[in-house]
Each structure stands twice: as C-alpha cells, then as structure tokens.
Amino acid sequence: MSFRRAQVQDAIFVRILVPLKLVPDPDNANKIRVSDDNQRLDICSMEQKANPFDEYALEAALRLTEDGRAPRARQGEIVVVSLGSSETEVMLRAGLATGADRAFRIATSDDALDAGRVAHVLSRLAAQESCDLVLMGKQSVDGDSNEVGQRIAAMLGWPQVTFASKILAHSESRLEVEREIDGGIQRVLVALPAVITVDLRIVAPDAVRSKLTSEDFQYAPGVRFAPLPAIMQARRKQLSIVELDAFGPLPKRTMRYMRYELPTSKAGGRVVSTPSELVRLLASEAKVL
Amino acid sequence: MSKVIVFLEVKDSEALRPASLHAITFARSLSQSLGQSYSLVLMGSDISHLAETVRGYGAEQVYVIDSPVFSEPLAENFVPSLCRVIEHTHASFIIGAATAAGKDLLPRLAGTLASAFISDCVGAEVGANGILWKRPLCAGNVIAFCESCTDCTVVSVRHAEFEAACTNGGFSPIVLFDAAPAEAAAQRIQLFGYDKLDNPRPELTEARVVVSGGRALAGRFFEILGPLADTLGAALGATRAACDGGFAPGDFQVGQTGKVVAPDLYVAVGISGAIQHVAGMKGARVVVAINSDPNAPIVSVADYTLVGDLFELVPELVGELKRHTKNS
Ligand SMILES: Cc1cc2nc3c(=O)[nH]c(=O)nc-3n(C[C@H](O)[C@H](O)[C@H](O)COP(=O)(O)OP(=O)(O)OC[C@H]3O[C@@H](n4cnc5c(N)ncnc54)[C@H](O)[C@@H]3O)c2cc1C
Ligand SMILES: Nc1ncnc2c1ncn2[C@@H]1O[C@H](COP(=O)(O)O)[C@@H](O)[C@H]1O
C-alpha cells in the first residue's frame, strides 16, 4: 500500500496528508437534540458536511503545491483521509476533485473513536505513506476539542505549528508560518516533517504561498470549487478503504462521553426605543452601569 | 503530594497571565471536592521574580522551573519539563487555562502521556463513581459530561467561566526544579518574530464589559467603537467577518473558534448573531444588541435591543453614557 517517495532531481517531492472529518452542518448546530435517556445526540436529520477547518487545510495544501497562476500542475502529492462510515466517501471524492491525488477511508463507526485513537491512526498513516507534512484543521466544529493535531505531533515526535494563519514556503522543506496567538502574531520557521493546524484566516488571498507562486499573486478568498471535468476525473482517482485496526492494535480509549444535555436558554429580551432609555435600563434594571 | 497541579502561564517573561488565576479557582474547587491539595507550576525564562507573587494562593507547593529553555514559548520546549514535574508529584490532574498557549501545549502533553484531554472544561462533578468533566460541544449547543479512562487527565479550563482566584494568605513553599532538555523536535522549529498587538484596552477574556463590532462597521470600526469602549472601560471584540475584512485584528475575534467571553455586559454592534459568534458570548450576564434588522438572530440572544443605524445610535449612546456618569 505504501508509495516510494519520488526524488525529482534536486526538487524534493513533498507529500502532504490532509485529514477530513464529516460533521453535522455547523450552521444548524442549534437544532441538535439529545435522546430522552441523555445518552445520544440526535443528528440523524441533519445534513453532514466537511469540517470547515479541514476544507481550509486542503485549500492550503493545494496552494502549497502549485503555482497560483497555473494551479493545474501539482508539485507534490496530497493524500486525503477520513475515519468514518461510507458517508465520508462523498467528501473524500470532493477532495479528490478539487486536486488531492489519493484518498483513504479508515472504516469505522464514530462510537469506536476518541481523539487518541484518531491521532494514532493518522500518525501511523502519515509514517506509512512517508508524508512530510500533516496539514489539518485546528478543531472539528462538532467536538470542538482542538487536540488531534497536537497529539499526532507528540506521537510522531514532530514539531507542531498550531493556529496557522499564513504559510510561506522558503524551500520545499522549510516553511515560515504565522500563528494567531493571544496578543498578536507569532512567526516561526519550521523544517519538515511537521504538523500544521490551520486557523480561519489561512484562506485569505495572500495567506499561503508556495515557492512557485509569485509574491504579488492574490488568490480568490476562501476555498476553491472543483470544475465539472475534475469531478468526472476524480472518479478514477484511488480511494482505498482500510480497516481501523490495520495500523496495529488500537490504543486504549482515553475518554468516553457519558451523558449529554441541552443548555438552558434564557428568556427573550426586549426592544428599547432610544439610547437614553437603554442607559436608564442598564443602570436601574440590569444594574451593570 | 498534590494530585492536582496547575500550569501557570507567564506572558513575555514579565507577568502571570490573569487567565491562570481563573484556572486556579477551578483547580481549588476540584481539589476541595477530592479532599486533596493542589500545587502550582511556574515555568519560564527569568521568571524567579514572579515566584513570590504566586506563594499566596494556598497551594501545597509552588514548583519553579527557571531556564533559558523556555525563552521561546513553544510546546516542544515545555512538555518534557512538565512531564518531569508530573513524574515527581505523581499528579493525576494537570490543569491549565484554555488560552492560545494552553490550547497549543496541553494537548501535546496529553499526547505524550497517552492521557485523556478534557478541552475547554467548564466544570467537574465529583461523585462516588469518579469525576464527570463538563464541556460544551457543537458551538455550545450541547453540554457533554465525560469520563477520563486514563490514570492522568490533562484539562484545559474555559477560564472566562470562573472568577480569578484571590490570594488567601498562606505562604506556599517554593520547590526549585531543573528543566528537562527540550524535545528533539524543537531543533526543527524556531521562533522568528512576534508582532505584538498594540492594544491599550483591557484583555477580552478578562474584561467585565465587552463592546464587539461586526462587518457593518467596516473601515470605521475603531472610530465608532473606540469611544464607546472607553466610556464603558470595555475591551473590544469583533466577529469573524470584521476580522477577515481587516477591520479588526484577528486577536479580537469572539466565538466558537475565537475567544470565549463571559462579561457582565456585552454590547454587540452591527452583529447578526451567527451560531459561531453566539457560542463565544452567550455566557455574558447582560447582552445589548444594536442592529438595523429587528429580526437578526442576535436580537433573540439580547436582553435589550436598539433597532436602527449604528452610525447614529452609537455616538448618541456615548453621549448618554457620559451624561449618566456625570450625574451619578
Ligand atoms: C468554521 C467557521 C468558524 C467561525 N467562527 C466564528 C467565530 O469564532 N466568531 C464569529 O464571529 N464568527 C465565526 N464564523 C462566522 C459566522 O458564521 C458569521 O459569518 C459571522 O459571525 C458574521 O459576522 P457579522 O455578524 O459581523 O456579519 P453579518 O452576518 O454580515 O451581519 C452584519 C449585521 O450588521 C447589521 N447592520 C448592517 N448595517 C448596519 C447599520 N448601519 N447599523 C446597524 N446594523 C447594521 C445587519 O443587519 C447584520 O445583522 C465562523 C464561520 C465558520 C465557517
Ligand atoms: N474522524 C476523523 N477523520 C479525519 N480527521 C479527523 C477526524 N477526527 C478529527 N480529525 C482531524 O482532527 C482535527 C482536529 O479535531 P479535534 O481535535 O477533534 O477538534 C480536525 O480538524 C480533523 O482534521
């Protein structure tokens, strides 16, 4: 199953692993319900979508492996992977259509997973496929944990660059990355192999630049969509389905969800007609002034 | 020795991050329920001068690791030394604030220890069968209770949900510790620069009043909101749209994937109230919305709404607030 890394004369061939997670439509998160026994989340009726941060990571990977002006020719390989049911395959195919080269689905039900197990499988896959970079979302917008990327880095003993808002390639194996941290922007230089997790601003027009892309090039903001011929072509790209335990015995679970509740919502407020009335109410009724 | 240890964050080698004091409050109540003590861990480069200031928080011990290893605030430099303290204390619970640094470091620590990580924890129920950790999911639309299955549990605390700890007398003994060498991975990552944001106003997650603005403010973000924030002594926040548009710095973003705030008063100006934004501010005690659209989703979250043009209403509100302060 593993591919030999191609060495094209002096240009090193970079291989990027981009994990994609399928999540319930985040714009309808307020419609999520809890089962009567508080044991399950009821998301059956909700549309499933790719985690937005993972779509941003894929866009960043595409930008890192191309000349922005000639995005068809890819300098490197992008492998997308999801742990989940067959429903994730539509998302993986969409990833292939936008430019990823190969896909893996690690067949499992979500119940069998926790962050430690996801990180175990993804780090093994990254090693097996000789990936130079794991480029992924900083958090999944359903679990909101923000931990899998850091765990992968720890497991592989690789440097981690979390919350990346800008990536500039100095060479094929050295990247300058800007991170959004409290109180400002931190800039780091990282030598691959490494794990990078991306923040929202990574899809700004000048956020990611490969060595091939000229300095004045501006991308359209956001992520790209696949043109129709690419969607057809993507059907011929390789999508391998692998069992969850193909990477060695699963590690012991680290945590388990025991119970869910819906938060209490507060009573509706009221419309106030003028700023002076607002000030009066804030002082006398709400007592915050 | 304490089963509960708190990682204290130091800002620019100068001061303790106030967020860490909120994490101490959480650790205190957890250790109380467990009938245990707690200890503090202070790590940094040239930070011995801070040790005295943390002795009064009632910790059984204050571990101080002062080393040039920490001059670059990177997780790869901190994890080995934290592991050393955990090994020495046999700690079961490692607690830190869910700041940017905490969110970077604590999950890597959990990965290294193969331990559970409880992200953005908002409470802990200690019962006969163990501890249930409470944390929000799905942009705060679900509250989950989870159990750790490992000996060690690493917890990041949603600090805005807890009060800052006060000193309660006492004089914790200081234990000086040697730093462990950085991880090998540290050789492949190097700090290259830090563009510190010049923000004279209070820090978002600490402020008692927050004024936030959305896309509608466009290029007039600071011109319109600055005077309102200053009149209220408030921190400034923003929506993703305002940050992406370059009207406000990314550090201002409030929401599911930005900062979570829980002030006494939150004023949302020209903000529609998308799920991802509301996730970061619905813990506010009183919410005011200023919006031209009476049907914007923020209105159903707000206690008081002013409907109309923000460019007229906000300056008028500033005038009224000044008049109120003068008269009272
Ligand atoms: C993965 C992901 C993560 C996200 N995370 C966050 C997050 O953490 N925080 C966040 O905020 N968003 C986040 N978002 C974005 C979120 O979905 C919304 O797009 C965003 O919050 C909208 O910002 P806004 O309210 O400023 O803009 P809009 O939705 O455009 O709203 C502008 C509002 O201003 C009002 N208005 C316009 N002109 C005037 C005027 N003259 N006077 C008064 N009112 C006026 C309008 O009626 C409207 O309600 C995220 C999105 C994604 C996909
Ligand atoms: N089931 C999964 N399949 C693929 N990637 C995942 C899965 N779960 C988590 N991830 C990745 O881990 C990142 C962080 O997720 P989390 O730590 O759960 O917030 C996500 O943005 C994904 O890239």
Side-chain angles (χ1 to χ4, degrees):
Chain A
M1 211 161 43
S2 75
F3 285 70
R4 182 96 45 85
R5 180 186 311 221
Q7 298 264 342
V8 187
Q9 299 213 315
D10 48 2
I12 300 164
F13 187 86
V14 62
R15 184 173 290 146
I16 306 179
L17 183 67
V18 181
L20 304 174
K21 184 181 185 188
L22 198 63
V23 298
D25 179 6
D27 288 325
N28 282 312
N30 56 354
K31 305 218 169 72
I32 296 179
R33 293 292 166 260
V34 170
S35 65
D36 288 338
D37 61 1
N38 294 90
Q39 298 295 304
R40 316 210 132 250
L41 291 182
D42 174 13
I43 50 167
C44 301
S45 56
M46 293 175 72
E47 197 188 335
Q48 304 263 96
K49 292 189 165 166
N51 181 35
F53 284 104
D54 297 344
E55 292 187 308
Y56 300 166
L58 177 57
E59 173 66 28
L62 292 167
R63 292 185 187 183
L64 267 183
T65 50
E66 70 190 13
D67 175 352
R69 284 188 212 282
R72 290 254 173 89
R74 207 143 294 290
Q75 293 283 318
E77 193 182 33
I78 298 172
V79 180
V80 288
V81 53
S82 190
L83 288 80
S85 71
S86 56
E87 285 173 55
T88 63
E89 288 178 19
V90 180
M91 167 182 70
L92 290 167
R93 288 274 172 220
L96 292 171
T98 53
D101 299 278
R102 292 186 285 132
F104 285 94
R105 176 168 77 84
I106 315 297
T108 172
S109 77
D110 290 346
D111 292 342
L113 299 178
D114 71 1
R117 289 179 167 180
V118 173
H120 160 83
V121 168
L122 292 176
S123 54
R124 291 294 174 89
L125 181 68
Q128 176 193 294
E129 297 297 315
S130 310
C131 293
D132 309 287
L133 174 62
V134 181
L135 189 54
M136 57 195 286
K138 72 164 182 177
Q139 92 190 48
S140 41
V141 297
D142 53 350
D144 280 338
S145 314
N146 195 328
E147 63 172 305
V148 170
Q150 295 89 320
R151 280 184 184 273
I152 294 174
M155 285 172 176
L156 291 169
W158 288 5
Q160 71 186 38
V161 189
T162 50
F163 325 138
S165 54
K166 225 173 201 181
I167 307 176
L168 305 177
H170 283 199
S171 72
E172 286 76 6
S173 61
R174 276 170 78 78
L175 305 176
E176 179 187 336
V177 189
E178 291 191 4
R179 308 178 54 220
E180 284 194 15
I181 60 166
D182 295 343
I185 302 277
Q186 187 191 61
R187 274 176 286 136
V188 298
L189 270 181
V190 65
L192 303 186
V195 175
I196 299 180
T197 77
V198 303
D199 217 321
L200 297 169
R201 255 71 72 189
I202 200 70
V203 292
D206 61 350
V208 181
R209 201 170 60 229
S210 76
K211 263 199 72 188
L212 302 165
T213 302
S214 64
E215 258 174 58
D216 56 351
F217 183 78
Q218 299 277 312
Y219 278 94
V223 300
R224 68 194 67 187
F225 295 98
L228 196 60
I231 296 173
M232 305 301 285
Q233 251 174 9
R235 291 195 198 145
R236 291 199 296 272
K237 289 186 179 173
Q238 185 186 353
L239 193 165
S240 316
I241 299 168
V242 179
E243 292 306 315
L244 184 59
D245 57 7
F247 303 91
L250 276 189
K252 191 171 143 243
R253 223 174 225 296
T254 59
M255 63 102 97
R256 191 190 306 278
Y257 284 104
M258 305 300 286
R259 185 171 98 232
Y260 302 97
E261 284 174 10
L262 294 182
T264 46
S265 53
K266 64 180 186 186
R270 59 172 135 149
V271 170
V272 184
S273 53
T274 63
S276 80
E277 193 194 348
L278 175 65
V279 171
R280 190 180 56 75
L281 288 168
L282 289 178
S284 62
E285 189 180 83
K287 302 202 184 335
V288 283
L289 292 184
Chain B
M1 259 180 289
S2 310
K3 286 268 166 249
V4 180
I5 62 173
V6 185
F7 167 75
L8 302 177
E9 191 181 329
V10 178
K11 200 175 173 188
D12 308 331
S13 285
E14 281 162 14
L16 199 63
R17 279 287 301 270
S20 293
L21 299 180
H22 300 241
I24 292 178
T25 299
F26 173 82
R28 248 185 211 169
S29 86
L30 174 67
S31 50
Q32 241 158 36
S33 321
L34 293 168
Q36 291 272 343
S37 62
Y38 60 93
S39 289
L40 306 176
V41 187
L42 183 68
M43 301 165 79
S45 165
D46 262 328
I47 43 91
S48 345
H49 62 287
L50 295 176
E52 286 303 319
T53 65
V54 296
R55 296 183 77 177
Y57 288 100
E60 178 172 322
Q61 241 118 27
V62 175
Y63 294 92
V64 177
I65 319 180
D66 190 340
S67 162
V69 173
F70 308 125
S71 56
E72 295 194 334
L74 302 171
E76 294 81 354
N77 297 335
F78 282 74
V79 166
S81 291
L82 262 174
C83 287
R84 195 174 265 191
V85 177
I86 294 162
E87 213 172 286
H88 173 80
T89 55
H90 303 288
S92 309
F93 307 104
I94 299 92
I95 290 163
T99 57
K103 287 177 174 176
D104 181 55
L105 166 73
L106 298 169
R108 187 175 180 105
L109 177 68
T112 305
L113 299 169
S115 292
F117 176 60
I118 312 296
S119 185
D120 256 326
C121 187
V122 295
E125 287 181 0
V126 179
N129 297 326
I131 305 175
L132 280 182
W133 306 92
K134 185 176 171 186
R135 60 177 305 266
L137 297 183
C138 302
N141 288 288
V142 178
I143 304 295
F145 295 81
C146 49
E147 187 184 77
S148 163
C149 311
T150 57
D151 295 339
C152 244
T153 303
V154 182
V155 183
S156 75
V157 177
R158 183 169 273 195
H159 42 280
E161 302 272 333
F162 301 90
E163 296 292 325
C166 305
T167 47
N168 52 2
F171 211 55
S172 314
I174 291 180
V175 183
L176 293 178
F177 234 76
D178 286 336
E183 289 183 50
Q187 290 175 357
R188 297 213 305 274
I189 180 163
Q190 179 194 340
L191 203 65
F192 187 59
Y194 175 45
D195 303 333
K196 196 170 168 177
L197 188 68
D198 180 24
N199 180 13
R201 299 195 174 83
E203 198 179 314
L204 255 176
T205 53
E206 309 291 338
R208 297 322 308 165
V209 182
V210 173
V211 170
S212 275
R215 190 197 315 267
L217 284 139
R220 297 178 68 191
F221 189 93
F222 286 97
E223 174 205 330
I224 298 290
L225 295 189
L228 180 57
D230 293 339
T231 313
L232 289 165
L236 274 181
T239 64
R240 175 191 181 179
C243 297
D244 282 3
F247 315 136
D251 197 43
F252 280 21
Q253 185 179 308
V254 171
Q256 178 188 17
T257 60
K259 297 212 164 66
V260 178
V261 300
D264 287 333
L265 174 63
Y266 188 89
V267 187
V269 182
I271 291 177
S272 61
I275 282 176
Q276 295 90 346
H277 185 77
V278 171
M281 47 67 71
K282 68 175 168 192
R285 190 159 72 77
V286 176
V287 176
V288 169
I290 302 180
N291 202 305
S292 50
D293 175 6
N295 298 316
I298 191 75
V299 176
S300 61
V301 184
D303 299 277
Y304 305 104
T305 300
L306 274 176
V307 178
D309 182 11
L310 72 91
F311 295 101
E312 284 168 22
L313 288 170
V314 174
E316 213 180 305
L317 178 59
V318 172
E320 290 296 338
L321 284 166
K322 286 191 172 147
R323 204 162 306 137
H324 171 81
T325 337
K326 217 167 22 179
N327 295 342
S328 58

